[in-house]
Amino acid sequence: MTSGQLFLGVDGGGTGCRAALADETGRILGEGRGGPANVVSDPDMALASVLEAASGAMTAAQEGRDLTRLTAVLGLAGANVVEAAAAFRARLPFASSRVENDVVVAVKGALGADDGIVAAIGTGAVYGVQRAGTVRLAGGWGLILGDHGSGGWMGRGLFEAALLAHDGFVEKTPLLAAILREMGSPDAIVAFARRATPADFARAAPRILDAGDDAAAQRILGAADAGIARALDHLESDGALPIVFTGGLGPLFAARLGHRYPSLIHLAKGCALDGALALARGLV
Amino acid sequence: MTSGQLFLGVDGGGTGCRAALADETGRILGEGRGGPANVVSDPDMALASVLEAASGAMTAAQEGRDLTRLTAVLGLAGANVVEAAAAFRARLPFASSRVENDVVVAVKGALGADDGIVAAIGTGAVYGVQRAGTVRLAGGWGLILGDHGSGGWMGRGLFEAALLAHDGFVEKTPLLAAILREMGSPDAIVAFARRATPADFARAAPRILDAGDDAAAQRILGAADAGIARALDHLESDGALPIVFTGGLGPLFAARLGHRYPSLIHLAKGCALDGALALARGLV
């Protein structure tokens, strides 16, 4: 058990959260996990999840159970809603704490202290721009009106194209024919889509990536490229900022868009937990 | 009170239904109204609505209350689901009856017995093609995956563009600036979109039509033109079929796309009730 200062970093989203405990030097002492941690959709569950993950990290580090010793930074889904983040912070047991949107800690982790752009492309698509240590977010409004180029957006586009192909309005490529065959009927596709979450749509995205030169797959990927490049072009507009792609589809688009941003695309320095811990160590 | 045959036509959708009673010559004797009539989402309510509308038409025509005298054709939302339509028909009290999708009776009303295409562009967008008296439907899969060019699709596109403009990813035209100002915040737009029905989105479509040469409005209208033309080009592919535009936005797109289909665009011969009555008179 250390006698020095202890720092907690938490990265929490709609499906689960992770916590890491570190000492003053940044050395990781232990990690823990908890359930969903969205401070808007279910703050009580988010609090339980954060405490479970924090306790797990303390136990793994053999640091006892006293959470009031900790200096914590939590990156949590929904914490861009200012009132929700403030109310959540007031319930935390830590010695001191800061609650940020999960994307902000991911940006901090990816860029460290450097200026730059993080394009987080997974189920959704959201961008963070850091300048002089301050992070501003853009995009990430969800699949109904946004998230252009994300896995959810591409998956939904695949089913949309399958229905257009069923009606003969677009060419029935092998990929679209396969989707129609597997789903059984247009009605089944419509029924699926009415229930589908962005994650459900995103599970179809690998079909697009695996379809080779299928014309429908290429059209969807090209539209995704264009949606992501539209965002990056704007965020780059007043400089040549480094760009880090994160998220499950980050490496794909780093490769696809590399020629557009020559020598600007970098690997992430660290993950969201690293970013939360770096912020926590900056709190004291 | 007539001693001859009586015919009932019903046009029913998700918000209400109308019935018309006619004699053997097609003369309308009375009309009635009822509530929602979707045979999939609420068949019990649909039955009550149809019976209320039918009884209203009988009363208006001073033809008594004996529904078992009637030969009826009902065009009802959801009746493209074959099992739902069959189960619904089995519960009807009429002497003879036929249950069709509401779009089919709208096509019959618009075209009469002629071959042609009906483009029904309102909250949604669905197409009917009649050849030798047989109607085949295309499109109309709903706003999540389809309905390209519809009022709901254009309205959703307006809010999508407003969020892109908020982030600086597209130009903030006067229309998009006005939407952002009126809605108050991007979060409010996202919250609206999560609750919004296609009809809610469609209520924003007039803003696009009234925006003159606003670049965002013109882009959305151009995309709607392209979506509708893609469907019509395919449906026209093996002939020069007359095209009738119906629905709240039908006249708009008849004007916008007229140059693309020279001398092919016609006015509707009649409404969906006319179509249902024509089919009913054909049943005996």
Side-chain angles (χ1 to χ4, degrees):
Chain A
M1 179 167 162
T2 61
S3 56
Q5 192 95 33
L6 286 177
F7 300 92
L8 184 77
V10 175
D11 174 34
T15 54
C17 70
R18 295 195 308 145
L21 193 73
D23 64 17
E24 290 147 318
T25 69
R27 188 169 59 100
I28 304 278
L29 306 174
E31 299 202 9
R33 290 180 175 274
N38 184 311
V39 299
V40 169
S41 60
D42 193 341
D44 292 341
M45 155 111 48
L47 184 62
S49 298
V50 164
L51 296 181
E52 181 190 358
S55 300
M58 290 284 277
T59 301
Q62 299 186 294
E63 285 290 347
R65 295 163 169 271
D66 182 11
L67 299 177
T68 66
R69 296 171 60 200
L70 306 180
T71 297
V73 168
L74 296 75
L76 301 177
N80 46 320
V81 179
V82 176
E83 312 82 58
F88 190 80
R89 180 170 176 273
R91 298 171 69 185
L92 293 170
F94 310 119
S96 72
S97 52
R98 175 172 160 187
V99 177
E100 289 281 1
N101 185 270
D102 55 335
V103 182
V104 171
V105 299
V107 170
K108 288 284 177 187
L111 296 174
D114 296 349
D115 286 1
I117 300 168
V118 174
I121 316 291
T123 299
V126 58
Y127 303 85
V129 182
Q130 178 164 260
R131 285 178 197 278
T134 299
V135 175
R136 184 173 64 81
L137 302 184
W141 301 115
L143 188 55
I144 301 173
L145 298 180
D147 284 4
H148 305 87
S150 68
W153 187 90
M154 287 198 291
R156 184 184 63 188
L158 177 60
F159 292 105
E160 180 180 355
L163 289 176
L164 288 169
H166 165 84
D167 284 323
F169 297 170
V170 303
E171 181 203 350
K172 192 181 286 183
T173 68
L175 174 60
L176 300 181
I179 294 292
L180 287 166
R181 197 169 54 238
E182 290 162 27
M183 297 295 288
S185 72
D187 288 339
I189 294 176
V190 171
F192 162 76
R194 290 175 71 97
R195 293 186 309 267
T197 63
D200 293 331
F201 282 123
R203 271 190 282 279
R207 298 294 296 272
I208 301 166
L209 312 184
D210 295 342
D213 61 357
D214 182 277
Q218 288 304 314
R219 196 157 44 235
I220 293 169
L221 278 165
D225 289 345
I228 294 167
R230 176 175 59 189
L232 291 175
D233 287 350
H234 170 72
L235 298 174
E236 281 289 2
S237 60
D238 55 344
L241 292 169
I243 300 170
V244 177
F245 282 92
T246 66
L249 295 170
L252 173 77
F253 288 106
R256 291 182 64 88
L257 296 172
H259 69 283
R260 234 185 129 98
Y261 308 101
S263 75
L264 287 182
I265 296 180
H266 296 242
L267 291 177
K269 294 189 172 180
C271 69
L273 269 183
D274 298 318
L277 277 176
L279 286 174
R281 290 168 59 216
L283 272 193
V284 294
Chain B
M1 177 168 161
T2 60
S3 55
Q5 192 93 34
L6 285 177
F7 300 94
L8 183 77
V10 174
D11 174 33
T15 53
C17 70
R18 295 196 308 145
L21 193 73
D23 64 17
E24 290 146 317
T25 69
R27 187 168 61 100
I28 305 280
L29 306 174
E31 299 201 9
R33 289 180 176 274
N38 185 310
V39 299
V40 169
S41 58
D42 194 341
D44 291 341
M45 155 113 42
L47 184 62
S49 298
V50 164
L51 296 181
E52 180 190 357
S55 299
M58 289 285 278
T59 301
Q62 298 185 296
E63 285 290 347
R65 297 163 165 272
D66 182 11
L67 299 177
T68 66
R69 295 169 60 200
L70 305 181
T71 296
V73 169
L74 296 76
L76 301 177
N80 45 321
V81 179
V82 176
E83 312 82 59
F88 190 81
R89 180 170 177 272
R91 298 171 69 185
L92 293 170
F94 310 119
S96 73
S97 52
R98 175 173 161 188
V99 177
E100 289 282 1
N101 184 269
D102 55 337
V103 182
V104 172
V105 301
V107 170
K108 288 284 178 186
L111 296 173
D114 296 349
D115 285 1
I117 299 168
V118 173
I121 316 291
T123 298
V126 57
Y127 303 85
V129 181
Q130 178 163 260
R131 285 178 197 278
T134 299
V135 175
R136 184 173 66 80
L137 302 184
W141 300 114
L143 188 54
I144 301 173
L145 298 180
D147 284 5
H148 305 86
S150 68
W153 187 90
M154 286 199 290
R156 185 184 62 188
L158 177 60
F159 292 105
E160 180 181 357
L163 288 176
L164 289 169
H166 165 83
D167 284 323
F169 297 171
V170 303
E171 181 202 351
K172 192 180 285 181
T173 69
L175 174 60
L176 300 182
I179 294 293
L180 287 166
R181 197 168 54 237
E182 290 162 26
M183 297 295 287
S185 72
D187 288 340
I189 293 175
V190 171
F192 162 77
R194 290 176 70 98
R195 294 186 309 266
T197 64
D200 293 331
F201 282 123
R203 272 189 283 279
R207 297 294 295 273
I208 301 165
L209 312 184
D210 294 344
D213 61 359
D214 183 276
Q218 288 304 313
R219 197 159 43 236
I220 294 169
L221 278 166
D225 289 346
I228 294 167
R230 175 176 61 189
L232 290 175
D233 287 351
H234 170 71
L235 298 174
E236 280 290 2
S237 61
D238 56 341
L241 291 170
I243 300 171
V244 177
F245 281 92
T246 66
L249 295 171
L252 173 77
F253 288 105
R256 290 182 66 88
L257 296 172
H259 68 284
R260 234 183 129 97
Y261 308 101
S263 74
L264 285 181
I265 296 180
H266 296 242
L267 292 177
K269 293 189 172 179
C271 68
L273 270 182
D274 297 320
L277 277 175
L279 286 173
R281 290 168 59 215
L283 273 191
V284 295

